[in-house]
Amino acid sequence: MKETFKSVFYPRNNNEKSNIDFLNFEEAGKAQAFHESFPVYSETPLAELKNLAKEIGVKNIHVKDESYRFGLNAFKVLGGSYAIGRLIADKIGEDIKNLTATKMISKEVKDKTGDMVFVTATDGNHGRGVAWTANQLNQKSVVYMPKGSAIERLNNILAEGSEASIMDMNYDEAVRLADKNAKEKGWIVIQDTAWEGYEDIPTWIMQGYMTLGFEIVKQLEETKAEAPTHIFLQAGVGSLAGAVCGFFANYYKGNQPKIVVVEPNKADCIYRTAEANDGKLHFVTGDLNTIMAGLACGEPNSIGWNVLKDYADAFISCPDYVAADGMRVMASPLDGDTKVVSGESGAATLGCVYNILTDDSLVDLKGKLGLNEDSRLLFISTEGDTDKQNYRNVVWNGKDTRYDAE
């Protein structure tokens, strides 16, 4: 079946909305302070692509470049590390704001926690973040990866001392395996999707993701940049999208930018849930064989969806080639713009908008989104070249173009 752009728009209204106080600026500051306590912490860059903005007919473009995060080439560690920090803090009866990463590896704390094993399912980035955090805090991790996962991503997780393997199952099946084994062996599941009875940890993961939002508003203010008019967020299960949507809805309360969620056609569970608009979560099953591996999730996070349904403005399901286009555009910047090395999932949103603004067949979608010469766009490049071979195939060799999809 030919891949295509599909969209659904939600009207802004003042009806009763979900409570998003857990995604406020104060909670974001608490998460950021914890992350800052790791010796390797530094703010990731907020690249400004002025000339690309001019080229495609908008006022400005900013891209938060998460390839620099903790030396792990992806944002995911923000969620997993904060959730693990919260678990350790709770176990010893301490508030996370009083417990640094350095203190967590002290003999005093370790004597109270004992050995802990954290288990998760991942296509790579989240699992690497969990494995890295467990390694940093002298604990153990087990990571299950779905079929088709990149060997490079597996090796990066193994390098953190994790017990990791690629399974013959899709992502959602791997999540269920992690949960099953955790119950049988006394491990702790660190997963950014929620289900009945498993909501605290996904909530903490979402709060951890707010560190990048906290940094963004600080960086915009430091450079005296105007607030964005549009924020484009990629979704897998919807945890990052829900977290960042909620953060900015709180921060810009009364003057919220348009928030648009972007997913691959082959794993668009958030889009399908939005389109149905029937109060139920809608799943995508099967192999989920999109090039956007980090977004290849078929079951929405209910916590993230509860935020998105009330505070996001539009949901777009798009072809795989848009991610490849985004990778190529950011890898080969116009003179004066900053180069951003962005992987398939990281480039999905900018690639989507680049197509909307340059493909005449998508002019109606451009109009519905209100994109024009006054628009100020914010993107989050959630990962760098975490699969270097595929990155080169796309950027150097022209893999995955719109012509391949026709």
Side-chain angles (χ1 to χ4, degrees), residues 216-268:
I216 287 169
V217 295
K218 178 184 174 185
Q219 290 167 317
L220 289 173
E221 289 167 3
E222 285 175 346
T223 58
K224 295 182 170 52
E226 294 180 271
T229 60
H230 296 71
I231 302 174
F232 292 86
L233 302 170
Q234 51 274 75
V237 297
S239 294
L240 171 71
V244 177
C245 175
F247 172 80
F248 281 108
N250 273 317
Y251 190 80
Y252 291 116
K253 190 172 293 183
N255 192 29
Q256 179 190 316
K258 286 186 178 178
I259 294 177
V260 184
V261 178
V262 175
E263 294 171 281
N265 287 162
K266 297 173 182 176
D268 54 0

Side-chain angles (χ1 to χ4, degrees), residues 94-349:
E94 185 61 87
D95 192 312
I96 187 70
K97 68 182 180 183
N98 301 322
L99 199 59
T100 64
T102 302
K103 190 172 181 181
M104 285 184 184
I105 61 175
S106 67
K107 185 177 185 302
E108 174 192 0
V109 171
K110 189 66 184 286
D111 285 346
K112 292 178 181 178
T113 64
D115 290 332
M116 304 171 76
V117 179
F118 304 106
V119 61
T120 192
T122 181
D123 77 281
N125 295 336
H126 172 68
R128 188 180 185 187
V130 169
W132 178 88
T133 305
N135 194 18
Q136 292 288 308
L137 301 180
N138 297 329
Q139 301 291 357
K140 297 178 180 178
S141 64
V142 176
V143 177
Y144 301 125
M145 303 180 71
K147 58 185 172 183
S149 295
I151 296 299
E152 179 182 354
R153 291 171 178 153
L154 171 63
N155 288 337
N156 285 334
I157 294 169
L158 291 169
E160 297 294 345
S162 180
E163 181 185 320
S165 54
I166 297 175
M167 316 301 290
D168 186 24
M169 56 185 64
N170 71 19
Y171 169 80
D172 298 295
E173 292 165 340
V175 171
R176 284 188 276 276
L177 177 65
D179 184 52
K180 173 179 175 291
N181 286 348
K183 288 173 179 173
E184 292 176 355
K185 301 180 181 183
W187 299 343
I188 302 169
V189 179
I190 306 294
Q191 209 65 51
D192 65 350
T193 192
W195 53 85
E196 187 174 350
Y198 185 76
E199 295 175 330
D200 286 348
I201 290 171
T203 297
W204 295 336
I205 287 174
M206 289 176 65
Q207 289 176 320
Y209 292 158
M210 287 196 296
T211 285
L212 60 84
F214 187 94
E215 292 176 358
I216 287 169
V217 295
K218 178 184 174 185
Q219 290 167 317
L220 289 173
E221 289 167 3
E222 285 175 346
T223 58
K224 295 182 170 52
E226 294 180 271
T229 60
H230 296 71
I231 302 174
F232 292 86
L233 302 170
Q234 51 274 75
V237 297
S239 294
L240 171 71
V244 177
C245 175
F247 172 80
F248 281 108
N250 273 317
Y251 190 80
Y252 291 116
K253 190 172 293 183
N255 192 29
Q256 179 190 316
K258 286 186 178 178
I259 294 177
V260 184
V261 178
V262 175
E263 294 171 281
N265 287 162
K266 297 173 182 176
D268 54 0
C269 58
I270 299 292
Y271 167 82
R272 294 189 192 193
T273 300
E275 183 183 42
N277 196 21
D278 59 5
K280 301 176 183 177
L281 298 177
H282 289 259
F283 298 170
V284 181
T285 59
D287 289 341
L288 310 176
N289 60 339
T290 170
I291 67 165
M292 295 171 251
L295 309 182
C297 309
E299 301 180 14
N301 174 359
S302 56
I303 303 169
W305 170 247
N306 282 337
V307 176
L308 296 172
K309 70 181 175 60
D310 289 335
Y311 296 94
D313 297 278
F315 302 84
I316 297 175
S317 172
C318 62
D320 270 12
Y321 67 77
V322 305
D325 285 346
M327 293 166 68
R328 288 186 280 264
V329 168
M330 286 190 277
S332 182
L334 296 171
D335 287 347
D337 284 353
T338 302
K339 177 180 177 178
V340 177
V341 175
S342 184
E344 306 87 353
S345 299
T349 49

